[in-house]
Amino acid sequence: MSKFHAAKESVILLILWLLNSYAYAINHLTIKGIQVISKPTIYKNVQLDLKEGGFLIDHNAALSIENAIVKVIISPQNPYFIYLKNGSLKFKNNVVLVEAHDLPQTPTQQSLYYLIKVLQGNLALINNRFNVDQFYSLGLLITDENNATHHFMIHHNEIKYFHGGLYLLNSHNALIKNNKFSRVSFGNIFIQGDHNRIMNNLFQFPGNLSLGDAIDVVDSESILIKENLIADDSCYGMQIFAGKNVVIDHNMMINGITYAISLAPLNNSITDPFLIKLNRTHPWHHERNENIRITHNYLSQNRFAMRGNAIDGLTIKNNLFSQKFQDAYARKFWTNNDQLFSDVSYFKWEENFYREAFAQDIKDDNALALHIVDYPQHGGVVLPQQY
């Protein structure tokens, strides 16, 4: 992304913020160095310049920033915007414009830098716009896997161009709702924790044409993933590693480069460095997936639809699949659950349907798309007409 386009987009964001906010920034504050927040502190209706500074919240203090324009530079010398060490952060109705200076671009590796870091405390991110000027360099938010966090509220935010979106490690009872992720590489939402809800989020180009999933759930229990739209992902739409009591309901996953949904165990076959590190510092509670429900989803034009193994209790019901295959043999092979799922006990496959996707290049091909047929549990899809 060029600096010209980044500057142009920043100006547009500022104009939109001014037009839609009831209050606008009237004070310009420059903060240099790390400001330790040790008592209740409020910034409201201001422009904050933190090109050489940041906030550290400690001693159970509370920081509130609202209706602000925030300009931040993240660099090896200024490695974060906010570090929530112990306390609470309320961040609402803000525009955050981030410049990445001297940060390495690592499209296939997790970022070493995050805009917001949480050790422990309470967090509310509501109706903010986050924008960074460099791809593949800076993550938005990460928590510490050795300290449990609870009841985060993250909703109605727009997150653009970050290298890693929300990494909630050992985080429980979070609500992640109505957020928009645009060209966020690596993990957009990465969850390790119980009783979390991921609802009504929009993901555009997750992975940013390089690497990354829209939603990753790892070693977690009682998770609801509902009414999300995932479009044009560069890897998996959703990956569930050793989840228990996970509901995936009424989501739409389209134009993915590989599987829309993948269910995998956590065992010695894991090679991902980040997952291996997590297991060392916060050992996994589960190895297999258990009681997974996938219902009322629409999966269209992904290269493949679903796969899974090492699952105790899997229900796949009332889903619509739409894909495009070169011939009948390929269609039967890549829709055959006997090939796609292994080591699954208590497998229920009910009332799932398939439709051939439209083609632009072969006119007569589109006749196949007029048929919505039963998607059987075994043997793969057979359409009424064949090539």
Side-chain angles (χ1 to χ4, degrees), residues 144-146 169 192 218-219 266-268 270-285:
D144 185 280
E145 68 269 22
N146 295 310
L169 315 178
Q192 183 197 37
V218 176
D219 193 30
L266 288 173
N267 53 33
N268 292 333
I270 294 294
T271 58
D272 182 88
F274 184 64
L275 292 181
I276 293 172
K277 174 180 176 292
L278 281 181
N279 187 37
R280 290 173 181 162
T281 57
H282 190 73
W284 299 323
H285 296 93

Side-chain angles (χ1 to χ4, degrees), residues 100-322:
H101 286 197
D102 301 320
L103 301 187
Q105 291 182 288
T106 56
T108 61
Q109 299 177 25
Q110 187 183 11
S111 176
L112 298 176
Y113 297 90
Y114 284 83
L115 188 70
I116 301 173
K117 301 174 66 175
V118 179
L119 183 65
Q120 56 186 350
N122 300 314
L123 175 74
L125 298 182
I126 302 170
N127 196 36
N128 302 288
R129 305 291 178 266
F130 297 96
N131 187 89
V132 64
D133 71 341
Q134 179 175 291
F135 292 150
Y136 312 126
S137 58
L138 176 66
L140 177 66
L141 169 71
I142 192 167
T143 68
D144 185 280
E145 68 269 22
N146 295 310
N147 292 275
T149 54
H150 301 271
H151 300 287
F152 282 8
M153 300 285 290
I154 304 174
H155 60 82
H156 292 91
N157 299 286
E158 183 173 335
I159 300 163
K160 304 184 76 170
Y161 310 142
F162 283 83
H163 188 48
L166 305 173
Y167 273 71
L168 302 189
L169 315 178
N170 195 8
S171 193
H172 313 273
N173 302 101
L175 175 62
I176 305 173
K177 184 176 181 180
N178 292 111
N179 301 288
K180 180 180 178 181
F181 297 80
S182 297
R183 300 191 69 176
V184 174
S185 49
F186 228 69
N188 283 226
I189 295 178
F190 186 104
I191 290 287
Q192 183 197 37
D194 302 334
H195 304 285
N196 294 302
R197 292 171 292 165
I198 304 171
M199 303 171 61
N200 296 103
N201 300 285
L202 170 62
F203 303 86
Q204 297 175 317
F205 293 97
N208 196 10
L209 307 178
S210 179
L211 179 66
D213 307 328
I215 299 172
D216 293 299
V217 175
V218 176
D219 193 30
S220 301
E221 187 171 340
S222 300
I223 304 298
L224 176 62
I225 304 172
K226 186 173 183 178
E227 297 178 348
N228 300 282
L229 171 57
I230 301 172
D232 302 284
D233 62 81
S234 302
C235 201
Y236 299 99
M238 302 180 189
Q239 280 209 90
I240 313 298
F241 291 96
K244 182 178 180 180
N245 299 329
V246 178
V247 174
I248 302 172
D249 182 63
H250 279 96
N251 300 281
M252 181 180 292
M253 289 155 272
I254 59 177
N255 296 333
I257 198 170
T258 179
Y259 290 93
I261 300 175
S262 174
L263 310 172
L266 288 173
N267 53 33
N268 292 333
S269 67
I270 294 294
T271 58
D272 182 88
F274 184 64
L275 292 181
I276 293 172
K277 174 180 176 292
L278 281 181
N279 187 37
R280 290 173 181 162
T281 57
H282 190 73
W284 299 323
H285 296 93
H286 309 99
E287 179 176 327
R288 298 169 63 87
N289 285 289
E290 182 178 345
N291 190 24
I292 309 297
R293 293 184 57 85
I294 303 173
T295 56
H296 302 100
N297 299 284
Y298 177 62
L299 294 79
S300 177
Q301 293 282 50
N302 302 284
R303 187 177 183 189
F304 312 113
M306 299 182 188
R307 72 170 185 180
N309 71 303
I311 308 166
D312 298 320
L314 173 62
T315 298
I316 301 177
K317 183 176 181 179
N318 290 121
N319 300 283
L320 177 61
F321 301 80
S322 180

Side-chain angles (χ1 to χ4, degrees), residues 13-31:
L13 282 170
L14 290 177
I15 293 172
L16 289 174
W17 182 86
L18 290 172
L19 290 174
N20 289 283
S21 177
Y22 287 105
Y24 56 87
I26 57 175
N27 293 318
H28 184 169
L29 301 177
T30 298
I31 295 175

Side-chain angles (χ1 to χ4, degrees), residues 36-43 55 61-65 88 90:
V36 178
I37 305 298
S38 57
K39 62 182 180 180
T41 304
I42 298 174
Y43 293 94
F55 295 108
L63 173 62
S64 176
I65 301 177
S88 65
K90 179 183 178 182

